[in-house]
Amino acid sequence: MSLWTSLEPASATVDPGGTTTVRLRLRNTGDVVDEYRFEAVGALAPWAVVEPQSLRLYPGTTGTVELTFAPPRTPDATAGPNPYAVRITPTEHPEATTVPEGNLTITPFTEVRAELVPPTVKGRFRGRPRLAVDNVGNTKLTASVSGSDNGDQLSYGIHPSNVQIEPGRAVFVKTTLKPRKLIWFGSAEQRPYTLAVQRSGVPPLDVEGTYVQRGLLPRWLAVFLSVFTALAVTLVMLWISHQPRVATAATEKLQEAGTSTLQAAPSPLPKAPASPPADAVTAPPAPSPTQQAGGAGAGDEDAAGGGGSQQKEKKESKAPERTAATAVQERAAEDPSGRHICYRVYTPGNGWSDAVCDGETAGSAGSGMPIKAVNIAVSGTKGTSSGAFVHDPESTNGEGHFPKPWSSAVDGIDNYVGSTEKDAPSMLGFTINVDGGKGTVCQSSYVHNDTWLGLACDEPGTGYPFTYAGTHDNASWIEAVKLKV
């Protein structure tokens, strides 16, 4: 058996979603009548239709078969040249199969889809939506992603900011939204924003989302502070208007009593200043003779042989707790003109750590033990304020919360943040400032299963009036901290 074939044209072009037709001409060059069956083979076979599917030819006669290609407008229709073939099987001689080959070029097309997951995020300090970008075209996609909003109320951290996506694939772009201003009190505010997927030579694809910024402190606290301030002002005014004369009345009563049992009149007490300076630091009290090392006091009982009983009492008494205030008072005594900060941390099972100062490490980095409370004291900074950010079991945005208002303390006095109760939540981090946000304080913290975060300081007059140590991730916590002023 012999057969002559020809594809017309041998190379064709088609757009995805369209059709094109190729003619197959064949001649029976044998000497017997034969019937031929036709079948498209190769990657384009699912999109090819052969008509007719069989043809009967006498010797020396010619016939024509049409192949119609209809590739879909999907990523499966790969752009560029695609080879194909037609299998011709004679009925009389099935072993003498002929397979003429051709080439079909599919033109490229580009189609991009993008979606925010989720379209609305909530948070106090940041939101973390993800942008899903799908390449539903048949060529590789290269694009950049940027963010914008009305009023420039948000800053955008986008990773990666440039993407390359193969046909039929998708990538997720991580986005971090940060408000440029905090909402201290009041209800949440909606901040609409737009992420744009930009390709060269075409208009950008805009995807709109909403960031719901929550207030840092609850509204009821603002009302409470207003009422408390008004009440305090009222009490001060009443005290000034009706100041009691306690000293004069006591003197008159003593004169009337005429007590003769007093051996000598007490010397007058020195007059205290109206208010201590803001940077004054109270030195720790000097130890009494019975608190001196070795237990050898200078009292009369030692001279009379009673020193043994005093030593027994000293062994049974418990040493006073060394808090952050104790440590900072010692530093202030050594360097009265300097600025100092001392601190210690509370972890379950270990209790309070030793107080450390001025950039030393408090806590156990890498131990897995969460910090539940921090004790802070300062000198030379006009006081400090702080607030604990803790694990929230009812969180819906993956972040913790501030359960209590900030606590404050003047120089030389202990300031406690967090809670030492048995079921107290772990601290994810805490805010801190000095001199009401007018001074500079620096911090670094060790985050569980992560690393030491870089040293960060507040910038008085330019940003937030505080610095934040730790993480906002509700599934993590801090294990150690370093503070400097």
Side-chain angles (χ1 to χ4, degrees), residues 323-347:
T323 67
T326 308
V328 85
Q329 290 171 10
E330 295 172 355
R331 287 291 177 102
E334 298 172 357
D335 181 18
S337 62
R339 289 158 46 93
H340 302 285
I341 182 170
C342 296
Y343 43 95
R344 57 179 183 155
V345 298
Y346 182 91
T347 55

Side-chain angles (χ1 to χ4, degrees), residues 70-203:
R73 191 177 175 82
T74 64
D76 297 333
T78 306
N82 293 267
Y84 69 91
V86 181
R87 181 186 292 118
I88 305 174
T89 305
T91 303
E92 297 296 332
H93 302 280
E95 72 283 355
T97 301
T98 302
V99 185
E101 297 180 353
N103 189 72
L104 179 67
T105 300
I106 300 178
T107 60
F109 78 95
T110 303
E111 185 174 346
V112 183
R113 297 174 186 172
E115 179 183 7
L116 272 171
V117 183
T120 300
V121 292
K122 302 178 181 179
R124 294 179 176 87
F125 298 99
R126 59 177 55 82
R128 293 188 176 93
R130 295 195 301 169
L131 179 67
V133 183
D134 294 277
N135 180 9
V136 293
N138 64 351
T139 59
K140 180 184 290 188
L141 168 68
T142 301
S144 61
V145 182
S146 60
S148 63
D149 60 274
N150 292 330
D152 195 27
Q153 297 174 332
L154 302 173
S155 64
Y156 302 86
I158 301 175
H159 180 76
S161 58
N162 294 283
V163 294
Q164 286 189 342
I165 312 173
E166 296 294 334
R169 298 297 181 90
V171 298
F172 282 92
V173 178
K174 297 180 180 179
T175 305
T176 301
L177 310 174
K178 293 184 179 180
R180 299 188 183 276
K181 294 183 179 180
L182 287 179
I183 301 176
W184 288 97
F185 297 97
S187 58
E189 296 184 8
Q190 294 189 355
R191 312 244 185 245
Y193 66 94
T194 301
L195 295 182
V197 181
Q198 179 68 62
R199 294 172 291 150
S200 178
V202 297

Side-chain angles (χ1 to χ4, degrees), residues 7 20-24 40 49-50 65-69 84 86:
L7 287 170
T20 189
T21 300
V22 176
R23 288 180 175 83
L24 171 63
V49 177
V50 182
V65 176
E66 291 187 348
L67 283 81
T68 302
F69 295 94
Y84 69 91
V86 181

